[in-house]
Amino acid sequence: MERATSEAKLFERYQRSGKALVLSIIEMYVQGVSTRNVTKIAEELCGHSVSKSQVSRLASELDQEMLSFKNRPLGRYPYLVIDARYEKYEQKRGVVSKGILIVAGINEEGDREILLVDIANTESETSWSEVFRTLIERGLTGVEFVVSDDHVGLTKAIERYFTGAIWQRCQCHFMKNVLDKVAKADKKDVKAEMRAIFDSPNYGRAKELLTITVDRYPAISSILEDAQEDILACFSLPESHRKRMRTTNMLERFNQEIKRRTKVVRIFPNEEAALRLITALAAEQTEEWISGKKYLDMSARVEVSVQAAKPEPALVSI
């Protein structure tokens, strides 16, 4: 009873993500991972020595809570935002870096959620296919629009699992790619022209400005021409949705929070610890989003569909 009480006290002041972070540090301490100041931090957090069995019990309790979030049933999410980042953790062969794959969705009520986080060796088509297959098995339907970067494995998996959905290449990622290919003296002007293209009032004007930029800067003409349909796909959406759905920036704050927490750990003791912490953060972020203001007014999407379905007025002969 005394042991159970001390374990409960260890966690009582932490949210789920805090518990996961504490567990990561304690696991490193218990497993003898050579990370600077781990022993000191673990002792300050616990106030007493911790055994492997205690860590195992605490992890099991938190994992059950995270499992409910990871396996919750889904429904219709017209919009998806997809991103990835990399974290380090310990393996028998040494420290390795693996991808954290993240999928967020906006439902028909305009609420956003983190639908799934997972860990994979690479951003391959196989890895992303497994992610999308899991989401569909949980009930994900109704996907109409997907925004991501242009990683080849990811785009192939999107095309395979979300046939018919419009794909938007993240304009922020694309801007960086373009600026890497222009002379330093031209970067400021090219950036301004790209901003004007992205902020155009309609697709036609965006195409006009893009054509001007293509003619003006031969060094980036091919990349602009090849990507024009993908970077301007957001113009198929209601105007009020475009700015928020033309990049993966919706996940920026979430990624910053992951970085802030994982920086404390530096190197995770194992893959499970990394996934536990990031899943806990995802659950907390989702709760914050759902309890807050609607991200998008989805009635605008319905109005656009109705307008598109209206027949052209018939010509009357005189």
Side-chain angles (χ1 to χ4, degrees):
M1 178 65 71
E2 184 179 343
R3 181 174 60 191
T5 302
S6 66
E7 290 175 6
K9 286 182 178 180
L10 171 61
F11 269 1
E12 65 186 7
R13 65 183 183 276
Y14 297 109
Q15 289 180 289
R16 283 175 303 230
S17 59
K19 294 175 184 178
L21 181 60
V22 170
L23 271 173
S24 296
I25 294 171
I26 296 173
E27 282 183 289
M28 286 190 288
Y29 167 64
V30 170
Q31 295 179 22
V33 175
S34 180
T35 303
R36 186 178 58 186
N37 294 329
V38 165
T39 301
K40 181 181 177 181
I41 294 171
E43 289 176 347
E44 287 178 356
L45 288 169
C46 303
H48 55 80
S49 62
V50 182
S51 68
K52 288 186 178 181
S53 61
Q54 287 175 307
V55 171
S56 179
R57 279 193 297 275
L58 291 169
S60 178
E61 292 172 9
L62 188 55
D63 286 344
Q64 285 300 311
E65 190 175 350
M66 292 302 93
L67 193 63
S68 296
F69 173 77
K70 289 170 62 177
N71 292 338
R72 73 190 191 281
L74 303 175
R76 296 183 64 85
Y77 292 82
Y79 300 161
L80 297 183
V81 180
I82 302 171
D83 202 5
R85 58 176 293 109
Y86 285 83
E87 296 293 344
K88 295 179 180 178
Y89 70 96
E90 194 84 11
Q91 275 194 338
K92 290 182 180 179
R93 66 177 186 272
V95 176
V96 298
S97 180
K98 283 197 173 186
I100 306 297
L101 312 183
I102 307 167
V103 180
I106 294 97
N107 63 25
E108 292 187 309
E109 286 71 48
D111 290 316
R112 48 184 171 158
E113 303 175 31
I114 305 293
L115 304 183
L116 181 145
V117 291
D118 203 0
I119 292 179
N121 289 322
T122 63
E123 287 188 75
S124 66
E125 182 179 357
T126 301
S127 298
W128 281 113
S129 291
E130 181 60 31
V131 165
F132 298 152
R133 185 161 47 246
T134 298
L135 289 172
I136 291 169
E137 287 173 354
R138 287 170 52 199
L140 174 65
T141 60
V143 177
E144 300 171 3
F145 187 91
V146 182
V147 57
S148 74
D149 67 17
D150 70 330
H151 191 285
V152 64
L154 173 54
T155 55
K156 285 184 177 179
I158 290 171
E159 184 176 2
R160 178 181 177 187
Y161 282 89
F162 303 118
T163 304
I166 296 170
W167 175 63
Q168 167 72 43
R169 181 172 176 178
C170 174
Q171 291 180 351
C172 281
H173 285 93
F174 182 75
M175 177 83 83
K176 291 175 183 177
N177 293 340
V178 168
L179 294 178
D180 285 343
K181 297 180 183 298
V182 299
K184 186 176 181 180
D186 292 330
K187 287 185 186 294
K188 184 177 180 180
D189 290 339
V190 170
K191 186 174 183 179
E193 292 193 27
M194 293 301 299
R195 284 291 179 200
I197 293 168
F198 295 154
D199 292 337
S200 295
N202 53 59
Y203 177 78
R205 181 56 177 162
K207 287 272 284 185
E208 289 176 11
L209 293 177
L210 189 142
T211 299
I212 293 171
T213 304
V214 165
D215 294 338
R216 188 172 290 161
Y217 302 100
I220 57 173
S221 60
S222 61
I223 186 174
L224 289 175
E225 289 177 326
D226 291 344
Q228 61 181 317
E229 298 304 324
D230 299 330
I231 60 174
L232 302 181
C234 59
F235 285 96
S236 65
L237 300 178
E239 185 176 359
S240 60
H241 292 189
R242 292 172 196 165
K243 190 171 183 179
R244 286 185 165 176
M245 295 308 303
R246 67 189 188 183
T247 70
T248 59
N249 288 355
M250 187 186 86
L251 289 172
E252 184 177 354
R253 182 182 172 190
F254 178 60
N255 278 326
Q256 288 175 346
E257 187 63 15
I258 292 175
K259 183 178 180 180
R260 185 176 75 85
R261 299 299 187 93
T262 57
K263 187 177 180 180
V264 176
V265 181
R266 295 182 61 228
I267 300 172
F268 285 93
N270 50 55
E271 182 174 313
E272 290 75 19
L275 190 56
R276 182 186 302 123
L277 173 57
I278 295 166
T279 302
L281 289 170
E284 289 171 5
Q285 181 65 84
T286 295
E287 288 175 355
E288 180 183 328
W289 281 345
I290 291 176
S291 63
K293 187 178 178 180
K294 298 287 184 184
Y295 189 62
L296 293 174
D297 177 7
M298 299 303 272
S299 65
R301 169 173 150 266
V302 175
E303 289 170 7
V304 168
S305 298
V306 170
Q307 289 296 324
K310 285 184 178 179
E312 291 293 325
L315 294 176
V316 179
S317 303
I318 300 196

